[in-house]
Amino acid sequence: MSAGPGLPGALAHLEPLLDRGGYAALTLLVGLDNVLVPVPGQTVLIVAAVYAGSGRMNVVLVALVAWAAATAGAEGAYLLGRHQGSALIERYGRYVGLTQRRYERAEDFYRRRGLPIVFAARFVDVLRQTNGLLAGANRLPCRRRVKTDR
């Protein structure tokens, strides 16, 4: 990637990540941003979009890499939640204010409105990072099965 004019303000510190790491850095940060890890995944995606607009990255590859990384991260979080979620929540939930009572209320809410929650949480920071773990821990089905009369 060729160097261009520096990015303004808070985005400037992410520039070296994409300059050196390129699509691999984008993959790593967007993927981790979907698995309980507090990294600047959204912000690096914005920087990658700016790079794509200036010709420093390919816009189609940025979109594909970001989609694949987000999907893989969310699936990884779901599987972690499915296999270890309840134990992790019981052990560490108190550190983030998730008491047993709050967790029981969240479980009930997920069971009643799981699929819309998963969709809406994709667009809300913090919920996006915890969404997969909670969906897996609550055994939300991966796919809705369609029944036919045949």
Side-chain angles (χ1 to χ4, degrees):
M1 286 175 242
S2 62
L7 294 172
L11 298 179
H13 75 281
L14 292 174
E15 203 166 5
L17 288 173
L18 285 180
D19 284 342
R20 285 185 233 138
Y23 297 103
L26 178 64
T27 301
L28 180 66
L29 291 173
V30 170
L32 288 176
D33 190 40
N34 287 274
V35 191
L36 300 171
V37 182
V39 296
Q42 284 180 334
T43 310
V44 82
L45 182 55
I46 291 168
V47 174
V50 170
Y51 272 30
S54 68
R56 293 167 77 179
M57 293 181 93
N58 180 294
V59 69
V60 174
L61 282 177
V62 166
L64 289 174
V65 164
W67 173 79
T71 301
E75 289 299 314
Y78 177 84
L79 290 172
L80 178 65
R82 187 103 171 159
H83 298 287
Q84 297 293 320
S86 295
L88 289 172
I89 291 167
E90 287 174 18
R91 185 170 184 181
Y92 299 109
R94 67 179 176 267
Y95 297 115
V96 294
L98 189 58
T99 63
Q100 185 64 33
R101 184 168 185 261
R102 285 182 179 160
Y103 179 53
E104 288 168 3
R105 287 176 51 207
E107 279 184 310
D108 181 56
F109 194 67
Y110 252 89
R111 287 190 180 111
R112 287 185 288 119
R113 305 206 191 299
L115 293 175
I117 290 171
V118 169
F119 178 76
R122 299 297 309 146
F123 303 100
V124 180
D125 215 19
V126 179
L127 293 180
R128 181 182 55 262
Q129 287 85 2
T130 58
N131 191 34
L133 182 77
L134 291 172
N138 287 296
R139 304 259 184 230
L140 197 66
C142 288
R143 294 186 178 148
R144 183 175 285 207
R145 302 205 186 271
V146 178
K147 293 183 180 181
T148 61
D149 293 328
R150 293 181 223 177

